[in-house]
Amino acid sequence: MIKPQISNDEIILNYIRRSGPVSKALIARQTKITPPTVTNICSHLIRQGLVYEDRQERSALGRPSMLLDFNHDLETYLIVHVRTHSIVYYVTTAGRHILHQQEISIIGCSSDEIMQHMYRGMQDIFKTGEYKIHSIGLILRGPVDSSKGISIYSPNGKWNNIPFKYILEERFHVPVYVENDVRCLSTGEYYFGNGKEMDNLIVLKFSYGLGVSLIYHGELYRGYNDSAGEIGYGVIRVDEEGNEVRLEDIASETSIHTYVMEQMEKGRYTSVQDDPLINCKAFRVEPIYEAAVEGDEVCLEALSRVGHYLGIAIANIANLFNPERIILSSAMGNAVGIMDPILRSVLERNSYKAHTINLEYSGNGSYYTLLGMIDIVSAKRAHVAWLE
């Protein structure tokens, strides 16, 4: 795939959009574009209404400098996040301000029902007429061909090769951008979270499955056919019956739940054994985390067991890619205090000794996933529409 050429105008606009308010001097320093060129381009962007002069910044040396900021209300987006148990709809500005948010449950829904919920929820927002939607961003689990807007496979929807970009553009007559949730998360963390100012970053999403996204020299690494990062499918070993055991079978929130259920079937007591959120097909793992924090023996064992395998996975990733930082995103909450020592102990034993693994935790994975999708849509709009 040939990467589209990015002009200086686009580089500067995206920098202001992500980092504003900023001075021209800082723009020149960070983008490595000459100050006279920055001044000329910024004047042009102001005339186009894409950026504006925000305020003057006092300086200890010389005269105050004018700070520039992005026109946050330039366009309005509809961002739809199809999660494991629900669909979340956001109406946002291009400047990352949330104007509207709603969520509907898809527990127990078939693939057709999930898609119908998705279409109907989007249609309802368009019908209100309250917002002028300029673009749609669709966040999906599983492998996605983002250039064609195709969901290759959905682990929760169980569909294959659905051309959502084509379907939604035919329905709503606005540009549609489709992206994998982990890539959205890594983009949000890179520009606005714990990955800021990192040149090489890996984000690992530890959820019902396991996914990785790599940012290398400031760019998302997508792989040959846009399917890089599906680490959960990696085969770890072959069991006694000859079955292949994959990483997400032993190092995911699903494997935490599986262990607790197995111990319950053996007759062991656990404080979550009567919790309806545990004893259902569309289970939640948060009660297990909470019980572990309270000292539940079975839940602590589950975290220790899975934490060991997760630590090995993180060590292997670090040894292979040697990133500046690895960000782990999960729903652990206070259970991070239990998992972190386990992970770091495993990392210490299994990491290449020439470097230390810089491991951080995502503060709010859902929020940074949203920010990442907004950024991906805005970068596309800057390239194909705003600067045309």
Side-chain angles (χ1 to χ4, degrees):
M1 182 186 296
I2 299 175
K3 184 180 175 182
Q5 193 69 27
I6 299 179
S7 65
N8 284 343
D9 296 55
E10 196 171 336
I11 291 170
I12 290 173
L13 175 59
N14 283 333
Y15 183 77
I16 296 171
R17 178 174 60 79
R18 291 162 176 153
S19 306
V22 289
S23 66
K24 294 174 187 175
L26 182 60
I27 295 170
R29 192 158 59 246
Q30 294 296 322
T31 62
K32 306 296 190 295
I33 299 173
T34 64
T37 301
V38 169
T39 296
N40 290 335
I41 290 176
C42 287
S43 297
H44 180 61
L45 295 177
I46 290 171
R47 288 194 298 271
Q48 288 182 292
L50 298 172
V51 303
Y52 65 95
E53 294 179 334
D54 182 49
R55 63 180 186 275
Q56 285 190 334
E57 180 182 48
R58 294 186 178 276
S59 174
L61 301 173
R63 61 184 181 182
S65 59
M66 184 65 70
L67 299 184
L68 301 177
D69 204 354
F70 174 65
N71 179 1
H72 296 278
D73 298 322
L74 184 65
E75 288 190 345
T76 303
Y77 305 147
L78 171 56
I79 308 295
V80 181
H81 187 176
V82 183
R83 305 180 64 181
T84 303
H85 298 311
S86 65
I87 300 175
V88 187
Y89 306 86
Y90 304 93
V91 178
T92 78
T93 67
R96 305 184 299 279
H97 297 152
I98 300 173
L99 305 176
H100 172 78
Q101 177 178 343
Q102 67 185 72
E103 183 172 359
I104 65 165
S105 172
I106 53 173
I107 293 174
C109 292
S110 66
S111 59
D112 286 341
E113 289 170 336
I114 292 173
M115 284 188 274
Q116 289 307 313
H117 277 305
M118 184 171 62
Y119 301 147
R120 189 159 46 248
M122 298 165 80
Q123 186 68 55
D124 289 344
I125 290 173
F126 271 85
K127 277 184 175 179
T128 66
E130 186 175 353
Y131 309 103
K132 178 174 174 52
I133 305 297
H134 296 83
S135 297
I136 295 172
L138 180 60
I139 307 169
L140 299 172
R141 292 185 62 210
V144 166
D145 184 334
S146 59
S147 62
K148 297 178 181 178
I150 297 173
S151 175
I152 298 171
Y153 173 70
S154 169
N156 54 326
K158 306 301 181 187
W159 57 64
N160 293 280
N161 298 314
I162 304 296
F164 281 117
K165 178 179 174 64
Y166 173 79
I167 293 170
L168 295 176
E169 287 183 347
E170 284 288 301
R171 282 176 178 254
F172 300 110
H173 310 292
V174 297
V176 175
Y177 305 95
V178 183
E179 191 54 274
N180 164 267
D181 60 341
V182 186
R183 289 180 186 159
C184 291
L185 172 61
S186 64
T187 301
E189 287 283 4
Y190 178 72
Y191 288 115
F192 312 110
N194 286 328
K196 290 179 70 174
E197 301 179 359
M198 298 286 115
D199 194 38
N200 300 307
L201 174 73
I202 282 180
V203 173
L204 174 62
K205 185 175 181 182
F206 175 71
S207 184
Y208 297 92
L210 202 63
V212 159
S213 180
L214 167 66
I215 292 181
Y216 180 70
H217 293 313
E219 297 288 339
L220 271 173
Y221 178 75
R222 295 181 175 276
Y224 170 68
N225 60 357
D226 209 14
S227 60
E230 296 297 331
I231 191 173
Y233 289 96
V235 176
I236 299 301
R237 56 183 169 83
V238 177
D239 65 19
E240 296 174 354
E241 286 77 34
N243 300 311
E244 296 169 338
V245 178
R246 301 187 183 277
L247 181 58
E248 64 184 17
D249 295 331
I250 58 176
S252 65
E253 290 184 335
T254 301
S255 54
I256 290 176
H257 177 261
T258 298
Y259 180 83
V260 171
M261 296 299 291
E262 288 174 348
Q263 297 307 303
M264 288 165 53
E265 289 174 4
K266 292 178 181 179
R268 294 184 64 188
Y269 171 79
T270 170
S271 60
V272 299
Q273 63 189 25
D274 296 321
D275 193 319
L277 294 177
I278 298 297
N279 296 286
C280 64
K281 185 176 181 180
F283 67 88
R284 304 296 299 231
V285 77
E286 288 88 341
I288 297 176
Y289 287 138
E290 294 167 5
V293 172
E294 295 296 322
D296 184 282
E297 183 178 1
V298 171
C299 295
L300 282 169
E301 287 176 8
L303 267 60
S304 177
R305 178 186 176 90
V306 172
H308 173 78
Y309 291 119
L310 179 61
I312 291 174
I314 294 172
N316 288 340
I317 291 168
N319 292 335
L320 180 62
F321 294 106
N322 187 25
E324 288 180 77
R325 177 170 291 171
I326 295 177
I327 297 176
L328 178 61
S329 175
S330 75
M332 291 181 199
N334 292 332
V336 167
I338 297 171
M339 288 286 274
D340 185 66
I342 298 170
L343 296 177
R344 294 191 187 277
S345 175
V346 176
L347 294 177
E348 176 64 26
R349 294 195 305 272
N350 294 281
S351 61
Y352 184 59
K353 300 304 179 184
H355 62 86
T356 301
I357 298 175
N358 183 352
L359 176 65
E360 297 285 344
Y361 295 87
S362 179
N364 187 335
S366 297
Y367 180 62
Y368 286 112
T369 300
L370 170 63
L371 294 188
M373 188 74 239
I374 295 171
D375 186 84
I376 288 169
V377 174
S378 294
K380 295 285 189 182
R381 296 296 291 158
H383 185 73
V384 304
W386 299 345
L387 293 170
E388 287 296 304

